[in-house]
């Protein structure tokens, strides 16, 4: 899809990967609906990305997730691109996981993208085109101790996305998945179980250093433009799969 002049919803636009994606989309001439919980950060961001529309929402509440699409559509009259990026981690051994906290990240990392897709697909169908990009994680390709809740929910998001891709192919709506590697953002500080001391996976420090969020944002732009089903932060991640 050509990004110029398209309307794009970016969730989690106040930090990290979402923030850099919003910057790149704006630079390419997209009209943006920027979504996050922090009104102050969104109001600062809109000064740098003029003409953007801000939507303050807690996407772990399904009703608010659905409503962001209605608000964006009321404002712009159309939505061609959705980047379901907002997400949060929760660490813990399987035997110790708090199921309320698992539900909490399930709502944000799976139900919100699903609800946003459900609200957007009929609009895109009427428009005759659309691009939906769901941000998964390289952790969904592996069995890494202590992050099973997060990685398994991201795996579920991947499967949902690739199935929707098949279902929507004939409607010219392209659903894609992006798999970031460890990325230098606030993610580790926002993990529900408490800030991570050291990012994972980095067993014995033999793995490459974290990526910059700008780099992952460039991959998101690439997938919108090419319509590829899946894009990995690094070629070697494909072999894990
Ligand atoms: N960083 C990594 O190593 C890594 C690796 C693989 C995958 N990912 C995935 O990449 C995506 C972006 O993560 P990031 O690294 O950029 O994290 P980040 O720096 O912590 O940013 C998360 C963004 O999501 C928003 N957000 C969090 N909870 C929200 C909620 N309940 N409702 C609405 N917005 C919410 C935050 O804004 P507010 O706080 O203002 O709401 C922020 O804008 C996530 O889906 C994450 O799972 C990250």
């Amino acid at each position: 899809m050509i990004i110029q002049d398209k309307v794009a919803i970016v969730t989690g636009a106040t930090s990290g990967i979402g923030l850099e994606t919003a910057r790149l989309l704006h630079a390419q001439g997209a009209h943006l609906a920027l979504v996050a919980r922090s009104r102050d950060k969104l109001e600062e961001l809109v000064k740098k990305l003029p003409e953007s529309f801000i939507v303050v929402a807690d996407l772990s509440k399904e009703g608010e997730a659905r409503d962001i699409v209605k608000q964006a559509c009321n404002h712009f009259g159309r939505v061609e691109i959705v980047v379901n990026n907002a997400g949060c981690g929760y660490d813990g051994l399987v035997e110790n996981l708090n199921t309320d906290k698992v539900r909490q990240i399930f709502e944000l990392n799976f139900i919100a993208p699903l609800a946003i897709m459900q609200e957007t697909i009929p609009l895109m169908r009427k428009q005759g085109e659309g691009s939906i990009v769901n941000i998964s994680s390289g952790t969904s390709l592996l069995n890494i101790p202590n992050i099973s809740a997060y990685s398994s929910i991201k795996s579920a998001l991947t499967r949902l996305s690739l199935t929707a891709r098949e279902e929507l192919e004939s409607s010219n709506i392209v659903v894609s998945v992006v798999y970031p590697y460890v990325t230098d953002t606030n993610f580790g500080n926002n993990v529900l179980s408490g800030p991570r001391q050291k990012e994972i996976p980095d067993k014995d420090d033999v793995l490459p250093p974290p990526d910059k969020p700008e780099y992952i944002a460039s991959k998101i732009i690439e997938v919108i433009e090419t319509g590829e089903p899946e894009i990995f932060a690094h070629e070697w991640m494909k072999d894990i799969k």
Side-chain angles (χ1 to χ4, degrees), residues 12 14-15 17 37-38 57-59 85 150 154 183 185-186 190:
T14 53
S15 172
I17 295 169
R37 291 167 301 181
S38 316
D58 180 349
L59 297 176
N85 163 78
Y150 174 75
K154 287 292 190 181
T183 310
T185 68
N186 288 322
N190 294 331

Side-chain angles (χ1 to χ4, degrees), residues 47-61:
K47 292 180 192 162
K48 293 176 191 143
L49 307 178
E51 315 281 307
S52 300
F53 176 62
I54 62 171
V55 188
V56 180
D58 180 349
L59 297 176
S60 62
K61 297 176 179 155

